[in-house]
C-alpha cells in the first residue's frame, strides 16, 4: 500500500483522525457490535472490474483466511479485531461487519495496510504477480531481493496517474540510498540517516520531508532482576540525558520525549508529570542515600554485594544501538555498569526475559489507537516481557479496551502513561522521525505521520 | 677359517604385502655368514634385495621368516633394551650420506651423538672424540664445526664411517657406501675401510653393484639375484671360477683397460622379471642361456660345490 | 659483526621486523600515546572532523578516533597473536601426534580436520560465534576451531616425511631414544616451516577477526576494535568519512607489514643451500652475461648489436 498499489476503506489523516477512502462513511449500531460501511461509487480494480460490496467482503475474508493462526498464519489482523459475520449488500453498496467483541477503533483497523481491498483471484500467485487492487499503480514484476516494477493503473478511479512506471529499488544501506538520490538513480528515498539528511540539506536541491510519527523507541526495563529495585530504576532514568542523545547523537532522528506514547498524538502529553527528568547530581545523590555505593573502588556501584552491570540488548536498526551506547556512557558516569550487546532480532530476548534492558521500536497506533500497544504492561498479556504487575494498571486497562467514548478513552490512556512514568518501567528514547527525501525532479512527495502512504497519486513530476 | 661366524643369517626371508594383496619377496631364504676381520661382499642389481637384507641384519627391519644369529645367540626378536645393546655391536654406513644426516646437526654432534646416547662419554668430551674419529677417517679437525651440506660427497661418506665407528662395533655393514662417489674418491674410501678393518679386526659386509670394486675389498663374495643368493665364492677366485650364469655375465661386463678389444661382449638378453611375479623354479630362467626344463619347475638350492664355493644352479647338481 | 652481516643479507626481514616492532610498541604503549580516553563519550562533540582538539576526529558519541585507533592496535594485535599462537600450538601438536603415532589417532584427527576444511572458514566462524554469543573472546574461539587444521596437516605430513628418512633410521641405529629423536630431529626440522606458515598467517587472521567484528560477531561496543569501528562508521560515509578511512588504513598497514614480515622470514629460514643458490645464481648470471658480451664484442659485424644490448 505504501507503493500506491492498493487502498483501504478508511484512511489516516496526519492527526490520526479517520478519513473516508474507499468507504464514503460508516456508522455503528446501538449494540456496539454492528458496523455498516457505505462504499464509494465508481471504484474500479486494476483489471477493469467494479469494486462491489461482495468483492470487498471476499477480500476481507481472504485476508483472515490467509493469516488464520490455526493455519499457521501470523494472526496479524486477528489481533486487532475479529468478526462474527460479514455481509454485503451490492444494491445499497454497503458492507456490514459484526465484531465479536466491542471494538471501538474498528475504522482504524480498516485503515491498517493489511486491510487493503483486493479483487480476489485464487489463480493468481500473489508472491510474483501481486494483487489486483484499486491503487494508482499496478505491480508488473516482483523479484525477491530485487527491484519491483509498477505500471500505471489504466482503470484508476480517482483521477490522473502521474507516472507511466515506478520502480522500487531495494537498497539496504542507508548511505547508498542517500547517494542514489544524489547521483540521480533514484527520485525518492525513505529513511535517510540523519547524517545524510544534513548532507542533502547542505546540497540544497532536495526536498526533505521529516515528521515525528507514532513510532516510539524505548527500552523495556526488566523487573525480574537487579532492576526490581525502585531506587535503582529511578536513578537510572534520571541519569539519562535523552535530549542530547536524541538531538545530537542521533542527529535529530528521534524527537525526545519521556512518555511511551508520542507527544504528537492527541493523548495529553502535556498533562503528564515526569518526576525523573535528567539530573545527574540528583541521580547520584539518590543512589548514595540509598546506600548503593561503590565499595571496592572499581567505579561500579554494588547492590547486595554484587557489581551492578546491566545486560542491555539492542538491534542495530534505527540507531538504537547508538542510543544504547550513549546511554551506557551516561550511566557509567553515575557508577552503573552496562554491557551493550547487539542482537540480530529481539524476539527471543524479549520472550525469554534474557535482559535487564532491551530496546524496542514500535508503532504505537497502527490502528489509530494505542490500546494494543499498552498491552505490554498489562499483567495478563503475553507481550508483557518485564514481569510488571500493577493492579491499578490492570484495572484501568480492562476498562479501556471496552470503552467507546473517545473522551473517556483519552482519560484512561493518560492515567496508564502516568503510572508507567511513576514506576520508571520504560526508558523512552524518543519518537522516531520518519523521513522521505526526494530530488527536485518530483514534487508532492511527503511523509505522513502514519508512515503508510509514500507513492501516492499526488507525487508528480515537477513542471 | 673354521671360526664361528660373528653374524649369521639363517633362512632369512622378507616378504611384503602389496596393496592388491600380492606378495613381494624381497629376500628369499638367505643364508650368510660374516666373520671377524673379514669382509663379505654382496653383489647384485638394483632391486635384488641387498639393502633389505642389510637392514634386517642391522635390525632396522624385522624378517618375515628366518633368524639372525649373533655370536651364536638368536637375536631376531630383540626389542627394547637388548635391541639397543645389539646396535652397539652391529652398525651400518648408509648409502646416501646426505639423507642419513640431520641437516640441523654439525659434524661434531653427528659423531659424538652415539656415544652420548649410550652415556659412554660426557658432554665436555665431545670435541676430543670428534677430533679422534675425524683423524681416523683422514679428515681435518676443523670439519667438526661444519654442516654436512657444506662438504663434498666423499667427505660426507667419511663422516658416516666415523659415526659408525664411534661405538666400536664388531660388525659394520656398508650399504653401497661408495656408489655415489667419483671413482678416485671411491678408491680412497675403500682403502680407508681396508685399513680400519685391519686395525680393529672389524667384520664387514659390503653391498655394491659393481663387481670390480668389491673384488679389491671382499674376502668372500655373495652374488644376489631377485632375493636369492645364487653364488658364494672367494674374492680372489671369482674371475676364474665363477660358475653361475648370472655371475659369469656380471664378470663379463667388467671393462678393464687391459681387456682384449676383440673379445665378444656377452650381454644378457631380456629383462629381469618383476619381483611380484616370480616364475616357478629358478628366477633367472628367462635370461639364462643354459636353461633346462628342471629350471622351470624346481628352484635350485645353494649347495656346496667345492670347499667354500657354493652355487645355486641346476647345472651343478 | 655477525649481526651486521645477518642484517645485510636479510635486509627485508630486518626492515619489516622493525615495522612490526613499532606496531607492537604502539600496541603496548597505547595508553601513553593516546590523547584521550577511548571510552570517554562527550556526546556534544559528536562527529567532529579531524582537527587540533581531536587528531583524527570523533565518532558519533564524541569519542576521540585517534585514541580509539591506538587502543585498537592493542586489541587487534594481541588478539591476533594469541590466536595464531593457539592454533599453531594446537594444530602442530595434533598433527605431530597424528603423523608420529599413525593408526587410529591419525584417522580420528584427520577425519575431524577434513570435516572442518569442508566448511568455508568465515561461515563456520559466524555459526560458532552465533551459538556462543558475540564477543571478541568467542570470535577467537570460533576462528581457532576453523583454522587449526592447516597446521595439523602440515605438521603431520612433515612428520611422516621425516620419519621415513634415513637419518631417523641412523639415529635409532646409533642408540637414540624416542624423546631424543623428537627433540633433536623432529622439532628442529618441522618448526621452521611451521613458524613461517604462522608468521604469514598473522595478517590473514587479523583480517578474519576484523571481518567477524565488522559483521557483528566479534568485538562488542564499546570495545575499540578496527573491524567493529568500520561497521560503526558505515552509515556516516558521506558525513564523517574519517570514521571509515582511518580504521581501514590501520588494518591495511598492519596486515601488510605482517604479511611481508612472514614472507621475508621464509627467505631467512630456508636451508642454507637455498641462500647459496640464490647468490650463486646471481653470480652465474652475471658471469654468463659477461661471457656473452665478450663473444659479441669479438664479432665485429654485430657491433651495433652491443649497443642494443647495453641499452
Amino acid at each position: 500500500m505504501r507503493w500506491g498499489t492498493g487502498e483501504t476503506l478508511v484512511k489516516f489523516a496526519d492527526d490520526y483522525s479517520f478519513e473516508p477512502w474507499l468507504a464514503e462513511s460508516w456508522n455503528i449500531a446501538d449494540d456496539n457490535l454492528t458496523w455498516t460501511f457505505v462504499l464509494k461509487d465508481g471504484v474500479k480494480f486494476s483489471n477493469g472490474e467494479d469494486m462491489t460490496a461482495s468483492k470487498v467482503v471476499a477480500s476481507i475474508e481472504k485476508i483472515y483466511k490467509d493469516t488464520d493462526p490455526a493455519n499457521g498464519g501470523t494472526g496479524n489482523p486477528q489481533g486487532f479485531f475479529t468478526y462474527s459475520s460479514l455481509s454485503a449488500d451490492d444494491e445499497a453498496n454497503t458492507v456490514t461487519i459484526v465484531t465479536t467483541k466491542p471494538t471501538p477503533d474498528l475504522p482504524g483497523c480498516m485503515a491498517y495496510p493489511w486491510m487493503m481491498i483486493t479483487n480476489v483471484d485464487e489463480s493468481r500467485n500473489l508472491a510474483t504477480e501481486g494483487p489486483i487492487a484499486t491503487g494508482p499503480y499496478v505491480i508488473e514484476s516482483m523479484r525477491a531481493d530485487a527491484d519491483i516494477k509498477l505500471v500505471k493503473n489504466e482503470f484508476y478511479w480517482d483521477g490522473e496517474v502521474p507516472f507511466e512506471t515506478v520502480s522500487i529499488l531495494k537498497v539496504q544501506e542507508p548511505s547508498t540510498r542517500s547517494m542514489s538520490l544524489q547521483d540521480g538513480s533514484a527520485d525518492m528515498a525513505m529513511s535517510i540517516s540523519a547524517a545524510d539528511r544534513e548532507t542533502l540539506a547542505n546540497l540544497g536541491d532536495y526536498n526533505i520531508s521529516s515528521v515525528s510519527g507514532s513510532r516510539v523507541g524505548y527500552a523495556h526495563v526488566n523487573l525480574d532482576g537487579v532492576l526490581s529495585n525502585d531506587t535503582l530504576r529511578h536513578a537510572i532514568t534520571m541519569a539519562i540525558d535523552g535530549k542530547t542523545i536524541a538531538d545530537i547523537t542521533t542527529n535529530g532522528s528521534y524527537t525526545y520525549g519521556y512518555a511511551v506514547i508520542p507527544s504528537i498524538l492527541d493523548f495529553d502529553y502535556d498533562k503528564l508529570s515526569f518526576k525523573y527528568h535528567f539530573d545527574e547530581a540528583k541521580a547520584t545523590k539518590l543512589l548514595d542515600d540509598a546506600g548503593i555505593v561503590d565499595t571496592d573502588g572499581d567505579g561500579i556501584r554494588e547492590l547486595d554485594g554484587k557489581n551492578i552491570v546491566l545486560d542491555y540488548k539492542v538491534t542495530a536498526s534505527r540507531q538504537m544501538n547508538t542510543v544504547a551506547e550513549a546511554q551506557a556512557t551516561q550511566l557509567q558516569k553515575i557508577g552503573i555498569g552496562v554491557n551493550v550487546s547487539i542482537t540480530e532480532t529481539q524476539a527471543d530476548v524479549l520472550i525469554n526475559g534474557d535482559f535487564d534492558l532491551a530496546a524496542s521500536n514500535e508503532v504505537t497506533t497502527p490502528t489509530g489507537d494505542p490500546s494494543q500497544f499498552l498491552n505490554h504492561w498489562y499483567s495478563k498479556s503475553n507481550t508483557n516481557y518485564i514481569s510488571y504487575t500493577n493492579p491499578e494498571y490492570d484495572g484501568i486497562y480492562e476498562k479501556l479496551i471496552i470503552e467507546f467514548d473517545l473522551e473517556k478513552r483519552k482519560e484512561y490512556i493518560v492515567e496508564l502513561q502516568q503510572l508507567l512514568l511513576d514506576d520508571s518501567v520504560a526508558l523512552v528514547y524518543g519518537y522516531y522521525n520518519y523521513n522521505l527525501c526526494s530530488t527536485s525532479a518530483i514534487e508532492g512527495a511527503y511523509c505522513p505521520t502514519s508512515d503508510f502512504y509514500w507513492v501516492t497519486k499526488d507525487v508528480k513530476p515537477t513542471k | 677359517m673354521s671360526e664361528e661366524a660373528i653374524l649369521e643369517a639363517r633362512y632369512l626371508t622378507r616378504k611384503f604385502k602389496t596393496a592388491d594383496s600380492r606378495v613381494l619377496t624381497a629376500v628369499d631364504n638367505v643364508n650368510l655368514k660374516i666373520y671377524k676381520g673379514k669382509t663379505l661382499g654382496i653383489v647384485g642389481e638394483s632391486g635384488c634385495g641387498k639393502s633389505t637384507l642389510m637392514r634386517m641384519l642391522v635390525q632396522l627391519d624385522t624378517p618375515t621368516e628366518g633368524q639372525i644369529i649373533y655370536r651364536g645367540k638368536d637375536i631376531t626378536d630383540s626389542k627394547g633394551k637388548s635391541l639397543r645393546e645389539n646396535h652397539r655391536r652391529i652398525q651400518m654406513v648408509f648409502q646416501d650420506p646426505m639423507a642419513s644426516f640431520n641437516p640441523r646437526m654439525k659434524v661434531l654432534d653427528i659423531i659424538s651423538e652415539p656415544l652420548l646416547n649410550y652415556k659412554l662419554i660426557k658432554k665436555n668430551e665431545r670435541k676430543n672424540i670428534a677430533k679422534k674419529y675425524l683423524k681416523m677417517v683422514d679428515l681435518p679437525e676443523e670439519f667438526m664445526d661444519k654442516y654436512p651440506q657444506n662438504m663434498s660427497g666423499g667427505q660426507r661418506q667419511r663422516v658416516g664411517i666415523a659415526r659408525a665407528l664411534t661405538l666400536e662395533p664388531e660388525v659394520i655393514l656398508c650399504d653401497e657406501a661408495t656408489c655415489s662417489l667419483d671413482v678416485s674418491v671411491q678408491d680412497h674410501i675403500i682403502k680407508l675401510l681396508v685399513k680400519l678393518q685391519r686395525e680393529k679386526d672389524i667384520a664387514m659386509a659390503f653391498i655394491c653393484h659393481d663387481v670390480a670394486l668389491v673384488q679389491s675389498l671382499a674376502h668372500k663374495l655373495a652374488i644376489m639375484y631377485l632375493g636369492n643368493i645364487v653364488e658364494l665364492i672367494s674374492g680372489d677366485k671369482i674371475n676364474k671360477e665363477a660358475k653361475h650364469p648370472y655371475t659369469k655375465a656380471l664378470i663379463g661386463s667388467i671393462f678393464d683397460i687391459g681387456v682384449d678389444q676383440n673379445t665378444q661382449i656377452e650381454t644378457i638378453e631380456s629383462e629381469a622379471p618383476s619381483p611380484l611375479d616370480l616364475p616357478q623354479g629358478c628366477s633367472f630362467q628367462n635370461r639364462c642361456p643354459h636353461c633346462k626344463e628342471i629350471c622351470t619347475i624346481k628352484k635350485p638350492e645353494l649347495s656346496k660345490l667345492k670347499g667354500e664355493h657354493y652355487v645355486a644352479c641346476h647345472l651343478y647338481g | 659483526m655477525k649481526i651486521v652481516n645477518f642484517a645485510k643479507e636479510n635486509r627485508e626481514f630486518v626492515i619489516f621486523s622493525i615495522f612490526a616492532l613499532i606496531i607492537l610498541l604502539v600496541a603496548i604503549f597505547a595508553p601513553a600515546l593516546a590523547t584521550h580516553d577511548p571510552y570517554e563519550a562527550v556526546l556534544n562533540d559528536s562527529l567532529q572532523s579531524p582537527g587540533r582538539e581531536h587528531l583524527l576526529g570523533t565518532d558519533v558519541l564524541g569519542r576521540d578516533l585517534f585514541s580509539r585507533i591506538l587502543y585498537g592496535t592493542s586489541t587487534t594485535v594481541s588478539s591476533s597473536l594469541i590466536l595464531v599462537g593457539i592454533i599453531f600450538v594446537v594444530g602442530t601438536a595434533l598433527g605431530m601426534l597424528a603423523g608420529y603415532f599413525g593408526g587410529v589417532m591419525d584417522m580420528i584427527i584427520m577425519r575431524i580436520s577434513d570435516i572442518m576444511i569442508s566448511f568455508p572458514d568465515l561461515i563456520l566462524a559466524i555459526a560458532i560465534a552465533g551459538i556462543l554469543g558475540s564477543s571478541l573472546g568467542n570470535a577467537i574461539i570460533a576462528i581457532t576451531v576453523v583454522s587449526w587444521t592447516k597446521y595439523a596437516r602440515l605438521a603431520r605430513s612433515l612428520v611422516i616425511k621425516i620419519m621415513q628418512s634415513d637419518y631417523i633410521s641412523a639415529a635409532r641405529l646409533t642408540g637414540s631414544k624416542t624423546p631424543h629423536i623428537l627433540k633433536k630431529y623432529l622439532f628442529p626440522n618441522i618448526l621452521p616451516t611451521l613458524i613461517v606458515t604462522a608468521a604469514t598467517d598473522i595478517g590473514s587472521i587479523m583480517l578474519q577477526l576484523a571481518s567477524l567484528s565488522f559483521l557483528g560477531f566479534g568485538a562488542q561496543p564499546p570495545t575499540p576494535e578496527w573491524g567493529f569501528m568500520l561497521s560503526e562508521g558505515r552509515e556516516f560515509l558521506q558525513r564523517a568519512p574519517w570514521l571509515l578511512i582511518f580504521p581501514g588504513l590501520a588494518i591495511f598497514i598492519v596486515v601488510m607489514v605482517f604479511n611481508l614480515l612472514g614472507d621475508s622470514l621464509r627467505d631467512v629460514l630456508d636451508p642454507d643451500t637455498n641462500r647459496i643458490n640464490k647468490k650463486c645464481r646471481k653470480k652465474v648470471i652475471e658471469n654468463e652475461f659477461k661471457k656473452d658480451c665478450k663473444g659479441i664484442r669479438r664479432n665485429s659485424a654485430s657491433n651495433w648489436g652491443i649497443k642494443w644490448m647495453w641499452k
Side-chain angles (χ1 to χ4, degrees):
Chain A
M1 191 170 89
R2 283 168 163 158
W3 304 322
T5 54
E7 297 161 335
T8 47
L9 294 180
V10 181
K11 194 177 177 179
F12 284 118
D14 269 348
D15 64 356
Y16 272 94
S17 60
F18 306 130
E19 283 181 357
W21 209 3
L22 292 178
E24 221 169 52
S25 63
W26 52 87
N27 57 55
I28 185 172
D30 287 331
D31 65 354
N32 276 347
L33 296 171
T34 310
W35 295 77
T36 311
F37 286 83
V38 180
L39 304 174
K40 271 222 179 87
D41 289 321
V43 178
K44 285 192 186 295
F45 285 111
S46 54
N47 62 350
E49 287 177 18
D50 289 328
M51 181 186 86
T52 63
S54 318
K55 287 214 172 1
V56 170
V57 165
S59 170
I60 299 175
E61 281 175 342
K62 178 166 170 59
I63 295 168
Y64 270 79
K65 193 176 85 167
D66 284 349
T67 59
D68 191 348
N71 291 341
T74 60
N76 199 317
Q78 286 88 344
F80 294 128
F81 82 97
T82 47
Y83 57 86
S84 53
S85 78
L86 286 177
S87 51
D89 184 342
D90 281 342
E91 277 246 355
N93 212 10
T94 60
V95 169
T96 308
I97 303 177
V98 179
T99 60
T100 40
K101 290 191 293 215
T103 313
D105 60 339
L106 185 66
C109 297
M110 299 312 290
Y112 194 64
W114 281 72
M115 302 304 284
M116 187 172 103
I117 304 298
T118 61
N119 191 357
V120 177
D121 179 355
E122 289 299 341
S123 68
R124 209 172 159 86
N125 182 346
L126 289 179
T128 52
E129 295 176 88
I132 305 172
T134 61
Y137 297 101
V138 181
I139 293 178
E140 184 191 71
S141 69
M142 215 157 63
R143 279 167 21 228
D145 279 351
D147 304 348
I148 300 178
K149 192 130 180 270
L150 310 174
V151 291
K152 180 167 155 165
N153 176 2
E154 301 293 337
F155 296 100
Y156 189 55
W157 60 277
D158 195 16
E160 265 299 310
V161 177
F163 290 97
E164 288 295 323
T165 63
V166 175
S167 301
I168 315 283
L169 314 164
K170 293 217 189 116
V171 178
Q172 286 254 7
E173 283 282 329
S175 330
T176 319
R177 291 201 289 271
S178 161
M179 288 194 276
S180 63
L181 279 182
Q182 291 169 50
D183 74 356
S185 50
D187 296 313
M188 198 162 105
M190 343 296 308
S191 289
I192 304 296
S193 75
D196 290 332
R197 285 205 303 278
E198 204 177 307
T199 312
L200 291 176
N202 290 337
L203 288 169
D205 223 7
Y206 299 92
N207 302 320
I208 302 169
S209 168
S210 167
V211 68
S212 174
S214 76
R215 191 175 265 278
V216 65
Y218 67 104
H220 287 283
V221 179
N222 200 349
L223 295 168
D224 180 15
V226 70
L227 289 172
S228 58
N229 184 307
D230 291 340
T231 315
L232 190 55
R233 285 202 315 280
H234 297 321
I236 285 173
T237 314
M238 283 199 283
I240 305 286
D241 179 4
K243 192 137 186 15
T244 307
I245 294 180
D247 290 344
I248 297 182
T249 311
T250 68
N251 215 316
S253 297
Y254 286 88
T255 302
Y256 175 64
Y258 42 77
V260 293
I261 296 185
S263 44
I264 196 177
L265 298 176
D266 185 21
F267 293 103
D268 285 334
Y269 184 83
D270 302 317
K271 283 220 198 108
L272 297 166
S273 86
F274 186 42
K275 288 189 273 215
Y276 306 109
H277 284 283
F278 171 56
D279 193 330
E280 189 182 313
K282 240 176 149 186
T284 316
K285 186 164 186 308
L286 194 65
L287 289 171
D288 288 338
D289 287 347
I292 303 174
V293 287
D294 173 27
T295 50
D296 56 7
D298 62 349
I300 302 181
R301 295 175 192 266
E302 290 120 40
L303 184 62
D304 298 333
K306 273 191 4 192
N307 269 355
I308 304 174
V309 179
L310 302 174
D311 181 17
Y312 198 158
K313 297 215 161 74
V314 294
T315 57
S317 82
R318 295 193 180 90
Q319 296 174 286
M320 288 196 286
N321 54 324
T322 317
V323 172
E325 285 184 60
Q327 291 177 334
T329 62
Q330 292 176 329
L331 286 175
Q332 256 142 17
K333 285 214 191 105
I334 63 161
I336 306 290
V338 181
N339 228 344
V340 178
S341 46
I342 301 182
T343 62
E344 282 293 295
T345 59
Q346 289 286 67
D348 287 333
V349 170
L350 290 171
I351 292 173
N352 294 331
D354 191 15
F355 63 95
D356 286 313
L357 295 167
S360 191
N361 201 299
E362 295 163 53
V363 176
T364 53
T365 57
T367 58
D369 183 283
S371 48
Q372 176 81 340
F373 172 69
L374 291 169
N375 206 3
H376 282 312
W377 295 279
Y378 179 47
S379 66
K380 300 192 195 121
S381 116
N382 59 356
T383 59
N384 182 337
Y385 306 116
I386 59 174
S387 313
Y388 179 60
T389 41
N390 184 336
E392 214 185 317
Y393 189 97
D394 289 350
I396 301 176
Y397 187 75
E398 279 157 10
K399 281 194 273 181
L400 169 66
I401 49 181
I402 53 168
E403 181 55 65
F404 273 82
D405 179 45
L406 287 179
E407 277 306 310
K408 276 213 101 107
R409 287 182 72 84
K410 214 170 31 167
E411 250 178 62
Y412 291 145
I413 291 173
V414 170
E415 284 173 37
L416 290 173
Q417 287 183 81
Q418 188 62 59
L419 284 171
L420 297 177
L421 285 175
D422 291 340
D423 286 339
S424 293
V425 290
L427 192 58
V428 178
Y429 307 163
Y431 316 117
Y432 193 68
N433 297 325
Y434 300 126
N435 69 77
L436 190 162
C437 301
S438 51
T439 64
S440 47
I442 61 173
E443 61 177 23
Y446 97 107
C447 197
T449 54
S450 60
D451 200 31
F452 288 155
Y453 319 109
W454 292 347
V455 178
T456 64
K457 65 178 172 66
D458 297 320
V459 177
K460 303 186 170 85
T462 318
K463 309 256 177 321
Chain B
M1 257 191 289
S2 50
E3 310 161 11
E4 272 303 306
I6 192 168
L7 185 63
E8 191 180 338
R10 281 190 201 157
Y11 305 106
L12 213 53
T13 309
R14 184 65 168 103
K15 295 191 177 146
F16 292 98
K17 281 211 197 81
T18 60
D20 44 357
S21 44
R22 286 195 288 175
V23 177
L24 176 99
T25 309
V27 177
D28 190 4
N29 252 316
V30 163
N31 289 283
L32 284 177
K33 289 200 175 101
I34 303 173
Y35 295 91
K36 218 163 169 5
K38 304 273 185 263
T39 305
L40 173 68
I42 304 178
V43 181
E45 300 173 356
S46 311
C48 72
K50 330 190 277 288
S51 290
T52 317
L53 172 64
M54 192 147 279
R55 288 178 82 90
M56 283 196 287
L57 287 174
V58 95
Q59 298 196 288
L60 282 175
D61 198 3
T62 30
T64 327
E65 291 163 28
Q67 297 149 319
I68 303 165
I69 313 289
Y70 173 68
R71 285 185 176 272
K73 256 192 3 200
D74 184 350
I75 58 168
T76 328
D77 296 318
S78 312
K79 283 195 177 69
K81 221 166 160 205
S82 56
L83 178 64
R84 243 179 126 233
E85 277 305 304
N86 294 341
H87 286 325
R88 282 183 66 180
R89 314 280 172 237
I90 309 168
Q91 273 297 321
M92 184 157 132
V93 177
F94 287 81
Q95 176 175 13
D96 178 3
M98 195 57 237
S100 68
F101 295 137
N102 182 351
R104 307 250 154 217
M105 281 172 84
K106 287 189 190 161
V107 169
L108 166 67
D109 298 312
I110 291 175
I111 294 183
S112 54
E113 190 193 37
L115 289 167
L116 283 171
N117 280 339
Y118 285 99
K119 297 198 173 59
L120 295 169
I121 61 167
K122 294 205 190 63
K123 273 217 171 138
N124 51 9
E125 295 168 18
R126 287 188 309 161
K127 278 214 167 131
N128 289 334
I129 287 294
K131 278 188 208 164
K132 174 175 160 192
Y133 283 96
L134 281 172
K135 192 150 174 249
M136 216 183 277
V137 295
D138 296 329
L139 282 174
E141 267 178 25
E142 298 81 58
F143 268 59
M144 75 168 87
D145 287 320
K146 284 194 176 211
Y147 283 96
Q149 303 90 291
N150 300 338
M151 297 179 193
S152 75
Q155 290 162 340
R156 278 199 282 271
Q157 198 59 278
R158 287 168 194 262
V159 173
I161 294 173
R163 174 172 66 183
L165 287 172
T166 50
L167 288 173
E168 310 212 330
E170 297 182 327
V171 187
I172 292 188
L173 309 174
C174 301
D175 185 355
E176 307 226 33
T178 57
C179 76
S180 55
L181 305 173
D182 294 337
V183 178
S184 56
V185 179
Q186 276 181 356
D187 205 40
H188 283 297
I189 301 290
I190 299 288
K191 288 209 169 66
L192 174 65
L193 287 171
V194 170
K195 182 179 88 164
L196 288 168
Q197 183 180 50
R198 235 184 326 178
E199 283 174 9
K200 297 180 186 292
D201 208 27
I202 301 176
M204 273 210 284
F206 193 91
I207 288 183
C208 200
H209 55 256
D210 183 348
V211 183
L213 184 68
V214 154
Q215 281 182 328
S216 52
L217 171 63
H219 299 93
K220 202 93 175 274
L221 282 171
I223 315 293
M224 211 163 154
Y225 185 74
L226 284 178
N228 299 92
I229 304 290
V230 298
E231 186 156 8
L232 198 57
I233 185 172
S234 325
D236 48 3
K237 297 208 176 99
I238 187 167
N239 280 337
K240 300 277 165 43
E241 293 178 26
K243 292 286 183 253
H244 196 282
Y246 181 58
T247 320
K248 290 213 243 179
L250 280 179
I251 303 292
S253 67
I254 297 174
F255 294 125
D256 216 304
I257 290 184
V259 79
D260 185 358
Q261 299 278 348
N262 294 320
T263 328
Q264 187 84 324
I265 299 171
E266 298 276 343
T267 56
I268 308 181
E269 299 299 326
S270 77
E271 292 190 1
S274 155
L276 279 166
D277 229 350
L278 291 174
Q280 191 192 8
C282 175
S283 11
F284 192 59
Q285 54 184 262
N286 65 323
R287 304 167 89 185
C288 183
H290 311 287
C291 181
K292 299 190 287 198
E293 199 193 321
I294 188 173
C295 303
T296 61
I297 304 172
K298 185 160 174 269
K299 201 172 186 157
E301 295 206 352
L302 193 65
S303 37
K304 192 163 168 158
L305 191 64
K306 182 172 68 174
E308 292 297 316
H309 187 174
Y310 294 73
V311 181
C313 181
H314 289 297
L315 287 173
Y316 304 98
Chain C
M1 237 358 251
K2 226 177 165 190
I3 295 182
V4 175
N5 275 336
F6 179 80
K8 274 201 203 146
E9 282 177 19
N10 302 291
R11 248 179 314 199
E12 292 162 347
F13 178 68
V14 171
I15 292 175
F16 293 120
S17 298
I18 293 178
F19 280 135
L21 199 60
I22 294 176
I23 293 173
L24 280 172
L25 287 173
V26 168
I28 297 173
F29 291 108
L33 294 166
T35 52
H36 296 78
D37 177 354
Y39 297 93
E40 192 195 343
V42 181
L43 297 180
N44 281 311
D45 283 347
S46 163
L47 297 178
Q48 307 234 324
S49 45
R52 237 177 307 132
E53 167 84 30
H54 296 278
L55 279 174
L56 296 178
T58 61
D59 67 4
V60 71
L61 293 180
R63 297 183 292 208
D64 178 47
L65 190 63
F66 176 64
S67 309
R68 283 177 72 76
I69 288 189
L70 283 182
Y71 274 76
T73 316
S74 318
T75 316
T76 302
V77 170
S78 61
S79 312
S80 307
L81 290 179
I82 291 174
L83 195 45
V84 171
I86 295 176
I87 50 181
F88 176 75
V89 168
V90 169
T92 306
L94 287 174
M96 281 181 67
L97 285 176
Y100 190 81
F101 291 108
V104 177
M105 194 174 291
D106 184 10
M107 201 181 65
I108 294 178
I109 295 179
M110 279 301 115
R111 291 301 77 79
I112 296 178
S113 147
D114 284 342
I115 294 174
M116 290 292 150
I117 286 184
S118 58
F119 285 98
D121 288 17
L122 212 51
I123 308 289
L124 190 55
I126 289 174
I128 294 176
I131 296 173
L132 293 176
S134 306
S135 77
L136 197 51
N138 288 342
I140 290 180
I141 293 177
I143 296 179
T144 303
V145 169
V146 170
S147 315
W148 64 269
T149 57
K150 176 157 66 161
Y151 295 85
R153 299 198 146 248
L154 193 54
R156 175 183 177 272
S157 63
L158 284 173
V159 165
I160 289 179
K161 189 178 84 155
I162 289 174
M163 293 308 288
Q164 288 168 352
S165 63
D166 269 352
Y167 61 81
I168 297 288
S169 306
R172 288 206 190 284
L173 190 53
T174 50
S176 301
K177 292 194 184 155
T178 305
H180 179 82
I181 291 184
L182 287 178
K183 196 174 83 162
K184 275 247 154 157
Y185 287 78
L186 215 48
F187 269 123
N189 282 303
I190 65 174
L191 275 184
T193 315
L194 287 167
I195 288 180
V196 169
T197 309
T200 39
D201 253 1
I202 296 179
S204 78
I205 292 287
M206 274 184 193
L207 279 177
Q208 283 198 302
L209 264 179
S211 307
L212 277 184
S213 296
F214 178 82
L215 292 171
F217 295 99
Q220 292 291 303
T223 317
E225 198 275 337
W226 295 333
F228 187 67
M229 282 157 70
L230 278 180
S231 171
E232 287 180 319
R234 250 187 317 169
E235 69 182 277
F236 301 106
L237 179 55
Q238 285 188 297
R239 169 73 177 76
W242 54 90
L243 292 178
L244 285 170
I245 294 176
F246 293 114
L249 211 54
I251 295 180
F252 173 70
I253 291 175
V254 173
V255 169
M256 193 177 68
V257 165
F258 278 98
N259 273 347
L260 291 170
L261 180 65
D263 269 355
S264 58
L265 184 62
R266 185 190 303 123
D267 289 338
V268 168
L269 284 180
D270 258 352
D272 296 22
T273 48
N274 216 357
R275 218 188 302 155
I276 292 176
N277 280 345
K278 271 201 261 178
K279 281 168 64 182
C280 280
R281 235 189 307 141
K282 214 168 153 218
K283 274 248 138 27
V284 165
I285 293 175
E286 285 173 10
N287 288 336
E288 291 297 315
F289 183 68
K290 289 192 187 129
K291 273 192 242 162
D292 284 343
C293 289
K294 285 199 195 122
I296 291 175
R297 230 180 282 154
R298 261 187 230 125
N299 187 348
S300 54
S302 56
N303 261 338
W304 65 274
I306 308 171
K307 291 213 189 90
W308 176 84
M309 267 196 85
W310 278 103
K311 253 196 211 157

